[in-house]
Amino acid sequence: MSTRWIFGNQLCMDLPVLKEADREKDVILMVEADSRTLWQSYHKQKLVLIFSSMRHFAEELTDKGFTVDYRKAESFRDGWEAHRQAYDPTDVHITKVTDDRMRRAIAKWEKGLSDDVTVHYEDERPLFLLSAEEVKERLPGDGPWQADGFYRNLRHDLGILMDGERPIGGKWSYDQENRKPAKSGVDFPKKRTFRPDEITEEVIEEVKETYSDHPGDLDDFIWPVKREEALKALNQFISDRLPTFGTYQDAMLIGDPYMSHSLLSSAINIGLLKPMEVIEKAEAAYEKGDAPLNAVEGFIRQIVGWREYMRGIYLKKMPAYKNVNVFNHKRDLPAFFYTGETNMKCMEQSIKPVIERGYSHHIQRLMVIGNFANLFGISPQQTSDWFNEMYIDAYDWVVLPNVLGMALYADDGLLSTKPYVSSANYINKMSDYCSECPFHPKHKTEDDACPFNALYWDFLDRNEDKLTGNPRMKLIYSQWGKRDEDDKEALRNKAKSLKQQLSKGAFDTNL
Ligand SMILES: Cc1cc2nc3c(=O)[nH]c(=O)nc-3n(C[C@H](O)[C@H](O)[C@H](O)COP(=O)(O)OP(=O)(O)OC[C@H]3O[C@@H](n4cnc5c(N)ncnc54)[C@H](O)[C@@H]3O)c2cc1C
Ligand code: SF4
């Protein structure tokens, strides 16, 4: 007989590994492995998401007539051994995995198998739009690569939002229209949430007991854990929230970490939703006139462009990629990353939702938390570990390029054309955070000056040799060059003192 082994982020009925299964003869193996949960100190909600979704998926498979061998084991290897003794399979079918550590673990396990078992690696689509080979072919050479070109070509080749050979509306990107700040008073339709059922409640109790030392709260678990729920979340997003997704895509508001973001990544990344069906629903909303082009194109670009692109970078550059650190940043991650208790309003508003539910939206991740880590010179590896541990949608293949590449530029521009660093100006423009912050967004060296200001200039100053040749940094370096020496020295001294204060935990307390 054949075994078809499904991992916790492959919960999709349309995968070849399941579509080609013989329901009479084959057995589906699923293993909840304790050792896997300890690779990093994962957020409690992430553990609940994976275990509950796996158990729901096993139930769905059984309902569809499959034989499921669902095991709780110390390790994948132990789970496999127990399964082998029970079923004695001659063939094992596995969907190809993307994460490097998991790939190596599977290769090691395969090496140790006896000759009478053959392993077959099946296509990972529709978990992604492209296979690993296809995405790597679209990123020739060693880089650097550009997300724009990758997105245009892929959208063209897949015929998404196309009018013949031309993009619908005449432009490939409507990003310029998607940068409106949302000041207090703007309201967004509520997102769809899901109440834990019996299975999820049981998992919550288990996680509370076994993983009490892991970070994150478990008071309010809202995530879809089965396909039926994920589809409801998708449909509600498309009908109620997609229309305003574009315009306010980059905005941030006190008390609303969701705004018009889809919150679909947790479901897409474990297979409950297929990226192509999400794209098709968004495209259909545009065709029916239910959502404007800037929203639909902006949303589709995240999936066709960024999601596939990031995976491609990961596949091309691992394992060396995880160690990149072009700015040689070594500072430790501050303690408040695990409590959210800080007097910097923007950081508090971006970190607290992560502790509460494993989520904050893209601009909070990029322009607040990532920006903070870069300007304070925090170790990129500690930063990516934190993102990997804390987010409901985190997997190595998507965390490393987003954190090390996009947010920190620690890869020296392999995937983006310039560092996403900014002073308080950007946050003040795009959010209402600064209005409730004890720091002043316009002050630079005063006692109450926003830390981002001096640190921004300090970052540019100390990395001038690495960044001055970048055409997109020319203007900012010419502004720096025009400052008089006293001014520069005052900014350097302020930055030095801020970094000393950070080491002493100053931002954990009130001014
Ligand atoms: C520092 C940093 C860390 C990140 N960590 C993760 C992570 O662990 N897991 C993750 O899935 N995404 C990550 N992203 C990308 C992006 O922020 C999230 O995909 C998005 O915020 C998820 O929320 P959403 O579903 O509401 O997304 P929306 O804003 O509604 O976007 C729609 C979908 O597009 C995809 N998407 C958007 N941007 C990206 C991107 N840059 N890379 C890959 N897919 C993208 C996601 O599938 C997402 O569900 C990170 C980005 C940054 C800057
Ligand atoms: S003043 Fe500075 S620290 Fe405070 S919210 Fe604004 S950007 Fe953040």
Side-chain angles (χ1 to χ4, degrees), residues 245 261-265 268-269 299 302-303 306-307 310 359 362 365-366 387 393-394 398-399 402-403 406-407:
F245 174 87
H261 289 272
S262 69
L263 279 85
L264 295 175
S265 52
I268 299 174
N269 290 353
F299 179 72
Q302 308 310 312
I303 302 176
W306 286 109
R307 188 171 188 271
M310 292 311 206
Y359 182 90
H362 184 68
R365 299 185 202 201
L366 181 66
F387 273 98
D393 52 14
V398 64
V399 169
N402 270 298
V403 177
M406 188 192 266

PDB file of all heavy atoms in Angstrom, residues 245 261-265 268-269 299 302-303 306-307 310 359 362 365-366 387 393-394 398-399 402-403 406-407, ligand 1:
ATOM      1  N   PHE A 245      -9.621  48.373   0.304  1.00  0.00           N
ATOM      2  CA  PHE A 245      -8.280  47.819   0.547  1.00  0.00           C
ATOM      3  C   PHE A 245      -7.196  48.718  -0.047  1.00  0.00           C
ATOM      4  O   PHE A 245      -6.194  49.015   0.595  1.00  0.00           O
ATOM      5  CB  PHE A 245      -8.176  46.405  -0.042  1.00  0.00           C
ATOM      6  CG  PHE A 245      -6.782  45.838   0.043  1.00  0.00           C
ATOM      7  CD1 PHE A 245      -6.367  45.154   1.173  1.00  0.00           C
ATOM      8  CD2 PHE A 245      -5.867  46.001  -0.996  1.00  0.00           C
ATOM      9  CE1 PHE A 245      -5.074  44.649   1.269  1.00  0.00           C
ATOM     10  CE2 PHE A 245      -4.581  45.496  -0.913  1.00  0.00           C
ATOM     11  CZ  PHE A 245      -4.188  44.820   0.227  1.00  0.00           C
ATOM     12  N   HIS A 261      -7.334  45.257   5.501  1.00  0.00           N
ATOM     13  CA  HIS A 261      -6.486  44.120   5.117  1.00  0.00           C
ATOM     14  C   HIS A 261      -7.303  42.831   5.182  1.00  0.00           C
ATOM     15  O   HIS A 261      -8.258  42.726   5.958  1.00  0.00           O
ATOM     16  CB  HIS A 261      -5.237  44.074   6.000  1.00  0.00           C
ATOM     17  CG  HIS A 261      -4.300  45.201   5.676  1.00  0.00           C
ATOM     18  ND1 HIS A 261      -3.329  45.109   4.713  1.00  0.00           N
ATOM     19  CD2 HIS A 261      -4.246  46.470   6.149  1.00  0.00           C
ATOM     20  CE1 HIS A 261      -2.692  46.266   4.616  1.00  0.00           C
ATOM     21  NE2 HIS A 261      -3.230  47.112   5.473  1.00  0.00           N
ATOM     22  N   SER A 262      -6.896  41.868   4.381  1.00  0.00           N
ATOM     23  CA  SER A 262      -7.763  40.696   4.195  1.00  0.00           C
ATOM     24  C   SER A 262      -7.715  39.702   5.352  1.00  0.00           C
ATOM     25  O   SER A 262      -8.650  38.941   5.548  1.00  0.00           O
ATOM     26  CB  SER A 262      -7.376  39.975   2.905  1.00  0.00           C
ATOM     27  OG  SER A 262      -6.102  39.377   3.054  1.00  0.00           O
ATOM     28  N   LEU A 263      -6.597  39.646   6.064  1.00  0.00           N
ATOM     29  CA  LEU A 263      -6.381  38.631   7.119  1.00  0.00           C
ATOM     30  C   LEU A 263      -6.500  37.208   6.579  1.00  0.00           C
ATOM     31  O   LEU A 263      -6.966  36.301   7.265  1.00  0.00           O
ATOM     32  CB  LEU A 263      -7.373  38.831   8.284  1.00  0.00           C
ATOM     33  CG  LEU A 263      -6.959  39.916   9.283  1.00  0.00           C
ATOM     34  CD1 LEU A 263      -7.400  41.297   8.820  1.00  0.00           C
ATOM     35  CD2 LEU A 263      -7.537  39.630  10.641  1.00  0.00           C
ATOM     36  N   LEU A 264      -6.105  37.041   5.338  1.00  0.00           N
ATOM     37  CA  LEU A 264      -6.234  35.714   4.722  1.00  0.00           C
ATOM     38  C   LEU A 264      -4.927  34.923   4.731  1.00  0.00           C
ATOM     39  O   LEU A 264      -4.910  33.737   4.420  1.00  0.00           O
ATOM     40  CB  LEU A 264      -6.733  35.861   3.273  1.00  0.00           C
ATOM     41  CG  LEU A 264      -8.144  36.436   3.127  1.00  0.00           C
ATOM     42  CD1 LEU A 264      -8.493  36.658   1.658  1.00  0.00           C
ATOM     43  CD2 LEU A 264      -9.194  35.524   3.782  1.00  0.00           C
ATOM     44  N   SER A 265      -3.821  35.578   5.089  1.00  0.00           N
ATOM     45  CA  SER A 265      -2.518  34.910   4.973  1.00  0.00           C
ATOM     46  C   SER A 265      -2.423  33.638   5.815  1.00  0.00           C
ATOM     47  O   SER A 265      -1.809  32.656   5.400  1.00  0.00           O
ATOM     48  CB  SER A 265      -1.382  35.868   5.358  1.00  0.00           C
ATOM     49  OG  SER A 265      -1.666  36.436   6.619  1.00  0.00           O
ATOM     50  N   ILE A 268      -4.182  31.040   3.673  1.00  0.00           N
ATOM     51  CA  ILE A 268      -3.499  30.752   2.397  1.00  0.00           C
ATOM     52  C   ILE A 268      -2.224  29.941   2.662  1.00  0.00           C
ATOM     53  O   ILE A 268      -1.924  28.976   1.955  1.00  0.00           O
ATOM     54  CB  ILE A 268      -3.135  32.060   1.638  1.00  0.00           C
ATOM     55  CG1 ILE A 268      -4.389  32.862   1.288  1.00  0.00           C
ATOM     56  CG2 ILE A 268      -2.346  31.757   0.369  1.00  0.00           C
ATOM     57  CD1 ILE A 268      -4.110  34.241   0.667  1.00  0.00           C
ATOM     58  N   ASN A 269      -1.503  30.313   3.709  1.00  0.00           N
ATOM     59  CA  ASN A 269      -0.198  29.678   3.933  1.00  0.00           C
ATOM     60  C   ASN A 269      -0.274  28.245   4.446  1.00  0.00           C
ATOM     61  O   ASN A 269       0.743  27.552   4.486  1.00  0.00           O
ATOM     62  CB  ASN A 269       0.651  30.529   4.893  1.00  0.00           C
ATOM     63  CG  ASN A 269       1.109  31.821   4.244  1.00  0.00           C
ATOM     64  OD1 ASN A 269       0.912  32.034   3.048  1.00  0.00           O
ATOM     65  ND2 ASN A 269       1.725  32.706   5.007  1.00  0.00           N
ATOM     66  N   PHE A 299      -4.423  44.525  -4.402  1.00  0.00           N
ATOM     67  CA  PHE A 299      -4.550  43.277  -3.651  1.00  0.00           C
ATOM     68  C   PHE A 299      -3.907  42.113  -4.417  1.00  0.00           C
ATOM     69  O   PHE A 299      -3.117  41.331  -3.860  1.00  0.00           O
ATOM     70  CB  PHE A 299      -6.036  42.995  -3.391  1.00  0.00           C
ATOM     71  CG  PHE A 299      -6.277  41.720  -2.654  1.00  0.00           C
ATOM     72  CD1 PHE A 299      -5.957  41.602  -1.310  1.00  0.00           C
ATOM     73  CD2 PHE A 299      -6.813  40.618  -3.306  1.00  0.00           C
ATOM     74  CE1 PHE A 299      -6.166  40.413  -0.622  1.00  0.00           C
ATOM     75  CE2 PHE A 299      -7.033  39.428  -2.626  1.00  0.00           C
ATOM     76  CZ  PHE A 299      -6.712  39.321  -1.287  1.00  0.00           C
ATOM     77  N   GLN A 302      -0.131  41.826  -4.351  1.00  0.00           N
ATOM     78  CA  GLN A 302       0.487  41.247  -3.144  1.00  0.00           C
ATOM     79  C   GLN A 302       0.691  39.735  -3.311  1.00  0.00           C
ATOM     80  O   GLN A 302       1.665  39.178  -2.841  1.00  0.00           O
ATOM     81  CB  GLN A 302      -0.377  41.494  -1.900  1.00  0.00           C
ATOM     82  CG  GLN A 302      -0.792  42.942  -1.673  1.00  0.00           C
ATOM     83  CD  GLN A 302       0.367  43.899  -1.745  1.00  0.00           C
ATOM     84  OE1 GLN A 302       1.412  43.671  -1.131  1.00  0.00           O
ATOM     85  NE2 GLN A 302       0.228  44.966  -2.508  1.00  0.00           N
ATOM     86  N   ILE A 303      -0.260  39.112  -4.000  1.00  0.00           N
ATOM     87  CA  ILE A 303      -0.203  37.652  -4.093  1.00  0.00           C
ATOM     88  C   ILE A 303       0.599  37.205  -5.326  1.00  0.00           C
ATOM     89  O   ILE A 303       1.501  36.372  -5.225  1.00  0.00           O
ATOM     90  CB  ILE A 303      -1.635  37.061  -4.122  1.00  0.00           C
ATOM     91  CG1 ILE A 303      -2.369  37.505  -2.851  1.00  0.00           C
ATOM     92  CG2 ILE A 303      -1.607  35.548  -4.220  1.00  0.00           C
ATOM     93  CD1 ILE A 303      -3.810  37.096  -2.783  1.00  0.00           C
ATOM     94  N   TRP A 306       4.309  39.839  -4.744  1.00  0.00           N
ATOM     95  CA  TRP A 306       5.144  39.654  -3.557  1.00  0.00           C
ATOM     96  C   TRP A 306       5.214  38.223  -3.051  1.00  0.00           C
ATOM     97  O   TRP A 306       6.277  37.723  -2.715  1.00  0.00           O
ATOM     98  CB  TRP A 306       4.694  40.614  -2.447  1.00  0.00           C
ATOM     99  CG  TRP A 306       5.121  42.013  -2.758  1.00  0.00           C
ATOM    100  CD1 TRP A 306       4.324  43.053  -3.134  1.00  0.00           C
ATOM    101  CD2 TRP A 306       6.464  42.505  -2.794  1.00  0.00           C
ATOM    102  NE1 TRP A 306       5.086  44.160  -3.379  1.00  0.00           N
ATOM    103  CE2 TRP A 306       6.405  43.861  -3.185  1.00  0.00           C
ATOM    104  CE3 TRP A 306       7.719  41.946  -2.540  1.00  0.00           C
ATOM    105  CZ2 TRP A 306       7.538  44.664  -3.316  1.00  0.00           C
ATOM    106  CZ3 TRP A 306       8.853  42.746  -2.671  1.00  0.00           C
ATOM    107  CH2 TRP A 306       8.763  44.080  -3.047  1.00  0.00           C
ATOM    108  N   ARG A 307       4.065  37.553  -2.964  1.00  0.00           N
ATOM    109  CA  ARG A 307       4.102  36.219  -2.339  1.00  0.00           C
ATOM    110  C   ARG A 307       4.964  35.250  -3.153  1.00  0.00           C
ATOM    111  O   ARG A 307       5.829  34.552  -2.630  1.00  0.00           O
ATOM    112  CB  ARG A 307       2.670  35.685  -2.177  1.00  0.00           C
ATOM    113  CG  ARG A 307       2.600  34.393  -1.368  1.00  0.00           C
ATOM    114  CD  ARG A 307       1.154  34.025  -1.050  1.00  0.00           C
ATOM    115  NE  ARG A 307       1.095  32.900  -0.137  1.00  0.00           N
ATOM    116  CZ  ARG A 307       1.068  31.629  -0.531  1.00  0.00           C
ATOM    117  NH1 ARG A 307       1.069  31.320  -1.812  1.00  0.00           N
ATOM    118  NH2 ARG A 307       1.037  30.660   0.367  1.00  0.00           N
ATOM    119  N   MET A 310       8.802  36.439  -3.167  1.00  0.00           N
ATOM    120  CA  MET A 310       9.515  36.162  -1.917  1.00  0.00           C
ATOM    121  C   MET A 310       9.897  34.684  -1.829  1.00  0.00           C
ATOM    122  O   MET A 310      10.972  34.325  -1.378  1.00  0.00           O
ATOM    123  CB  MET A 310       8.658  36.553  -0.709  1.00  0.00           C
ATOM    124  CG  MET A 310       8.448  38.038  -0.574  1.00  0.00           C
ATOM    125  SD  MET A 310      10.011  38.937  -0.718  1.00  0.00           S
ATOM    126  CE  MET A 310       9.682  40.407   0.201  1.00  0.00           C
ATOM    127  N   TYR A 359      -0.957  38.928  14.851  1.00  0.00           N
ATOM    128  CA  TYR A 359      -1.135  39.689  13.600  1.00  0.00           C
ATOM    129  C   TYR A 359      -0.903  41.176  13.789  1.00  0.00           C
ATOM    130  O   TYR A 359      -1.339  41.767  14.779  1.00  0.00           O
ATOM    131  CB  TYR A 359      -2.569  39.500  13.078  1.00  0.00           C
ATOM    132  CG  TYR A 359      -2.831  40.214  11.755  1.00  0.00           C
ATOM    133  CD1 TYR A 359      -2.609  39.577  10.543  1.00  0.00           C
ATOM    134  CD2 TYR A 359      -3.272  41.539  11.730  1.00  0.00           C
ATOM    135  CE1 TYR A 359      -2.824  40.240   9.328  1.00  0.00           C
ATOM    136  CE2 TYR A 359      -3.489  42.208  10.526  1.00  0.00           C
ATOM    137  CZ  TYR A 359      -3.274  41.542   9.331  1.00  0.00           C
ATOM    138  OH  TYR A 359      -3.480  42.180   8.128  1.00  0.00           O
ATOM    139  N   HIS A 362       0.769  44.825   7.132  1.00  0.00           N
ATOM    140  CA  HIS A 362       2.042  44.931   6.415  1.00  0.00           C
ATOM    141  C   HIS A 362       2.847  46.191   6.771  1.00  0.00           C
ATOM    142  O   HIS A 362       4.064  46.124   6.985  1.00  0.00           O
ATOM    143  CB  HIS A 362       1.763  44.887   4.912  1.00  0.00           C
ATOM    144  CG  HIS A 362       2.996  44.881   4.089  1.00  0.00           C
ATOM    145  ND1 HIS A 362       3.873  43.816   4.077  1.00  0.00           N
ATOM    146  CD2 HIS A 362       3.541  45.811   3.276  1.00  0.00           C
ATOM    147  CE1 HIS A 362       4.887  44.092   3.270  1.00  0.00           C
ATOM    148  NE2 HIS A 362       4.712  45.296   2.777  1.00  0.00           N
ATOM    149  N   ARG A 365       4.349  46.027  10.133  1.00  0.00           N
ATOM    150  CA  ARG A 365       5.509  45.114  10.132  1.00  0.00           C
ATOM    151  C   ARG A 365       6.724  45.802   9.498  1.00  0.00           C
ATOM    152  O   ARG A 365       7.848  45.704   9.995  1.00  0.00           O
ATOM    153  CB  ARG A 365       5.195  43.843   9.325  1.00  0.00           C
ATOM    154  CG  ARG A 365       4.030  43.045   9.875  1.00  0.00           C
ATOM    155  CD  ARG A 365       3.822  41.733   9.110  1.00  0.00           C
ATOM    156  NE  ARG A 365       2.459  41.227   9.262  1.00  0.00           N
ATOM    157  CZ  ARG A 365       2.081  39.971   9.076  1.00  0.00           C
ATOM    158  NH1 ARG A 365       2.955  39.063   8.718  1.00  0.00           N
ATOM    159  NH2 ARG A 365       0.831  39.598   9.215  1.00  0.00           N
ATOM    160  N   LEU A 366       6.457  46.506   8.386  1.00  0.00           N
ATOM    161  CA  LEU A 366       7.562  47.068   7.591  1.00  0.00           C
ATOM    162  C   LEU A 366       8.059  48.414   8.123  1.00  0.00           C
ATOM    163  O   LEU A 366       9.244  48.572   8.414  1.00  0.00           O
ATOM    164  CB  LEU A 366       7.066  47.230   6.137  1.00  0.00           C
ATOM    165  CG  LEU A 366       8.049  47.779   5.120  1.00  0.00           C
ATOM    166  CD1 LEU A 366       9.194  46.795   4.894  1.00  0.00           C
ATOM    167  CD2 LEU A 366       7.354  48.064   3.781  1.00  0.00           C
ATOM    168  N   PHE A 387       9.912  37.495  14.285  1.00  0.00           N
ATOM    169  CA  PHE A 387       8.798  37.438  13.317  1.00  0.00           C
ATOM    170  C   PHE A 387       8.358  35.984  13.095  1.00  0.00           C
ATOM    171  O   PHE A 387       7.173  35.691  13.004  1.00  0.00           O
ATOM    172  CB  PHE A 387       9.207  38.072  11.984  1.00  0.00           C
ATOM    173  CG  PHE A 387       8.992  39.573  11.936  1.00  0.00           C
ATOM    174  CD1 PHE A 387      10.041  40.448  12.164  1.00  0.00           C
ATOM    175  CD2 PHE A 387       7.745  40.102  11.673  1.00  0.00           C
ATOM    176  CE1 PHE A 387       9.845  41.830  12.118  1.00  0.00           C
ATOM    177  CE2 PHE A 387       7.532  41.483  11.623  1.00  0.00           C
ATOM    178  CZ  PHE A 387       8.585  42.348  11.846  1.00  0.00           C
ATOM    179  N   ASP A 393       0.893  33.831  10.528  1.00  0.00           N
ATOM    180  CA  ASP A 393       1.097  33.415   9.130  1.00  0.00           C
ATOM    181  C   ASP A 393       2.576  33.134   8.822  1.00  0.00           C
ATOM    182  O   ASP A 393       2.977  33.085   7.663  1.00  0.00           O
ATOM    183  CB  ASP A 393       0.581  34.505   8.176  1.00  0.00           C
ATOM    184  CG  ASP A 393       1.157  35.888   8.485  1.00  0.00           C
ATOM    185  OD1 ASP A 393       2.145  35.970   9.239  1.00  0.00           O
ATOM    186  OD2 ASP A 393       0.623  36.894   7.967  1.00  0.00           O
ATOM    187  N   ALA A 394       3.410  32.972   9.876  1.00  0.00           N
ATOM    188  CA  ALA A 394       4.860  32.917   9.650  1.00  0.00           C
ATOM    189  C   ALA A 394       5.368  31.526   9.257  1.00  0.00           C
ATOM    190  O   ALA A 394       5.032  30.538   9.917  1.00  0.00           O
ATOM    191  CB  ALA A 394       5.580  33.377  10.915  1.00  0.00           C
ATOM    192  N   VAL A 398       8.622  32.727   3.912  1.00  0.00           N
ATOM    193  CA  VAL A 398       8.025  34.055   3.712  1.00  0.00           C
ATOM    194  C   VAL A 398       8.598  35.062   4.712  1.00  0.00           C
ATOM    195  O   VAL A 398       8.715  36.247   4.412  1.00  0.00           O
ATOM    196  CB  VAL A 398       6.469  33.971   3.723  1.00  0.00           C
ATOM    197  CG1 VAL A 398       5.939  33.513   5.061  1.00  0.00           C
ATOM    198  CG2 VAL A 398       5.809  35.280   3.325  1.00  0.00           C
ATOM    199  N   VAL A 399       9.038  34.565   5.876  1.00  0.00           N
ATOM    200  CA  VAL A 399       9.594  35.479   6.887  1.00  0.00           C
ATOM    201  C   VAL A 399      10.960  36.004   6.444  1.00  0.00           C
ATOM    202  O   VAL A 399      11.217  37.211   6.471  1.00  0.00           O
ATOM    203  CB  VAL A 399       9.721  34.771   8.254  1.00  0.00           C
ATOM    204  CG1 VAL A 399      10.544  35.609   9.224  1.00  0.00           C
ATOM    205  CG2 VAL A 399       8.340  34.519   8.847  1.00  0.00           C
ATOM    206  N   ASN A 402      11.017  38.662   3.650  1.00  0.00           N
ATOM    207  CA  ASN A 402      10.310  39.868   4.074  1.00  0.00           C
ATOM    208  C   ASN A 402      11.069  40.624   5.156  1.00  0.00           C
ATOM    209  O   ASN A 402      11.127  41.850   5.142  1.00  0.00           O
ATOM    210  CB  ASN A 402       8.903  39.513   4.584  1.00  0.00           C
ATOM    211  CG  ASN A 402       7.874  39.532   3.467  1.00  0.00           C
ATOM    212  OD1 ASN A 402       7.638  40.569   2.853  1.00  0.00           O
ATOM    213  ND2 ASN A 402       7.299  38.386   3.177  1.00  0.00           N
ATOM    214  N   VAL A 403      11.648  39.896   6.094  1.00  0.00           N
ATOM    215  CA  VAL A 403      12.336  40.575   7.206  1.00  0.00           C
ATOM    216  C   VAL A 403      13.750  40.971   6.785  1.00  0.00           C
ATOM    217  O   VAL A 403      14.123  42.147   6.823  1.00  0.00           O
ATOM    218  CB  VAL A 403      12.365  39.676   8.464  1.00  0.00           C
ATOM    219  CG1 VAL A 403      13.140  40.348   9.582  1.00  0.00           C
ATOM    220  CG2 VAL A 403      10.947  39.362   8.925  1.00  0.00           C
ATOM    221  N   MET A 406      13.200  42.722   2.628  1.00  0.00           N
ATOM    222  CA  MET A 406      12.368  43.912   2.461  1.00  0.00           C
ATOM    223  C   MET A 406      12.498  44.883   3.640  1.00  0.00           C
ATOM    224  O   MET A 406      12.731  46.079   3.453  1.00  0.00           O
ATOM    225  CB  MET A 406      10.900  43.515   2.285  1.00  0.00           C
ATOM    226  CG  MET A 406      10.029  44.700   1.921  1.00  0.00           C
ATOM    227  SD  MET A 406       8.277  44.334   2.038  1.00  0.00           S
ATOM    228  CE  MET A 406       7.901  43.869   0.402  1.00  0.00           C
ATOM    229  N   ALA A 407      12.339  44.387   4.863  1.00  0.00           N
ATOM    230  CA  ALA A 407      12.284  45.313   6.000  1.00  0.00           C
ATOM    231  C   ALA A 407      13.666  45.812   6.416  1.00  0.00           C
ATOM    232  O   ALA A 407      13.823  46.972   6.768  1.00  0.00           O
ATOM    233  CB  ALA A 407      11.587  44.651   7.182  1.00  0.00           C
TER     234      ALA A 407
HETATM  235  C1  LIG B   1       8.736  42.365   8.225  1.00  0.00           C
HETATM  236  C2  LIG B   1       7.666  41.602   7.517  1.00  0.00           C
HETATM  237  C3  LIG B   1       7.332  40.310   7.937  1.00  0.00           C
HETATM  238  C4  LIG B   1       6.348  39.602   7.243  1.00  0.00           C
HETATM  239  N1  LIG B   1       6.058  38.318   7.651  1.00  0.00           N
HETATM  240  C5  LIG B   1       5.132  37.593   6.960  1.00  0.00           C
HETATM  241  C6  LIG B   1       4.811  36.275   7.355  1.00  0.00           C
HETATM  242  O1  LIG B   1       5.347  35.745   8.314  1.00  0.00           O
HETATM  243  N2  LIG B   1       3.880  35.595   6.641  1.00  0.00           N
HETATM  244  C7  LIG B   1       3.246  36.155   5.569  1.00  0.00           C
HETATM  245  O2  LIG B   1       2.405  35.496   4.948  1.00  0.00           O
HETATM  246  N3  LIG B   1       3.548  37.390   5.171  1.00  0.00           N
HETATM  247  C8  LIG B   1       4.445  38.137   5.841  1.00  0.00           C
HETATM  248  N4  LIG B   1       4.713  39.418   5.452  1.00  0.00           N
HETATM  249  C9  LIG B   1       4.027  39.967   4.285  1.00  0.00           C
HETATM  250  C10 LIG B   1       2.700  40.696   4.621  1.00  0.00           C
HETATM  251  O3  LIG B   1       2.944  41.663   5.591  1.00  0.00           O
HETATM  252  C11 LIG B   1       1.646  39.710   5.099  1.00  0.00           C
HETATM  253  O4  LIG B   1       1.453  38.716   4.122  1.00  0.00           O
HETATM  254  C12 LIG B   1       0.306  40.388   5.320  1.00  0.00           C
HETATM  255  O5  LIG B   1       0.447  41.446   6.229  1.00  0.00           O
HETATM  256  C13 LIG B   1      -0.687  39.363   5.818  1.00  0.00           C
HETATM  257  O6  LIG B   1      -1.883  39.958   6.210  1.00  0.00           O
HETATM  258  P1  LIG B   1      -3.168  39.956   5.277  1.00  0.00           P
HETATM  259  O7  LIG B   1      -3.548  38.581   4.931  1.00  0.00           O
HETATM  260  O8  LIG B   1      -4.167  40.816   5.964  1.00  0.00           O
HETATM  261  O9  LIG B   1      -2.584  40.633   3.990  1.00  0.00           O
HETATM  262  P2  LIG B   1      -3.148  41.673   2.880  1.00  0.00           P
HETATM  263  O10 LIG B   1      -2.545  42.980   3.144  1.00  0.00           O
HETATM  264  O11 LIG B   1      -4.626  41.579   2.847  1.00  0.00           O
HETATM  265  O12 LIG B   1      -2.509  41.076   1.556  1.00  0.00           O
HETATM  266  C14 LIG B   1      -3.120  40.022   0.819  1.00  0.00           C
HETATM  267  C15 LIG B   1      -2.251  38.810   0.727  1.00  0.00           C
HETATM  268  O13 LIG B   1      -1.107  39.080  -0.056  1.00  0.00           O
HETATM  269  C16 LIG B   1      -0.010  38.271   0.380  1.00  0.00           C
HETATM  270  N5  LIG B   1       1.116  39.170   0.702  1.00  0.00           N
HETATM  271  C17 LIG B   1       1.067  40.499   0.861  1.00  0.00           C
HETATM  272  N6  LIG B   1       2.303  41.001   1.009  1.00  0.00           N
HETATM  273  C18 LIG B   1       3.151  39.955   0.974  1.00  0.00           C
HETATM  274  C19 LIG B   1       4.557  39.835   1.085  1.00  0.00           C
HETATM  275  N7  LIG B   1       5.349  40.899   1.246  1.00  0.00           N
HETATM  276  N8  LIG B   1       5.083  38.598   1.039  1.00  0.00           N
HETATM  277  C20 LIG B   1       4.304  37.510   0.881  1.00  0.00           C
HETATM  278  N9  LIG B   1       2.970  37.574   0.743  1.00  0.00           N
HETATM  279  C21 LIG B   1       2.402  38.785   0.787  1.00  0.00           C
HETATM  280  C22 LIG B   1      -0.508  37.498   1.597  1.00  0.00           C
HETATM  281  O14 LIG B   1      -0.851  36.201   1.189  1.00  0.00           O
HETATM  282  C23 LIG B   1      -1.731  38.271   2.044  1.00  0.00           C
HETATM  283  O15 LIG B   1      -2.688  37.467   2.681  1.00  0.00           O
HETATM  284  C24 LIG B   1       5.685  40.173   6.129  1.00  0.00           C
HETATM  285  C25 LIG B   1       6.030  41.455   5.728  1.00  0.00           C
HETATM  286  C26 LIG B   1       7.007  42.167   6.420  1.00  0.00           C
HETATM  287  C27 LIG B   1       7.377  43.529   5.953  1.00  0.00           C
END
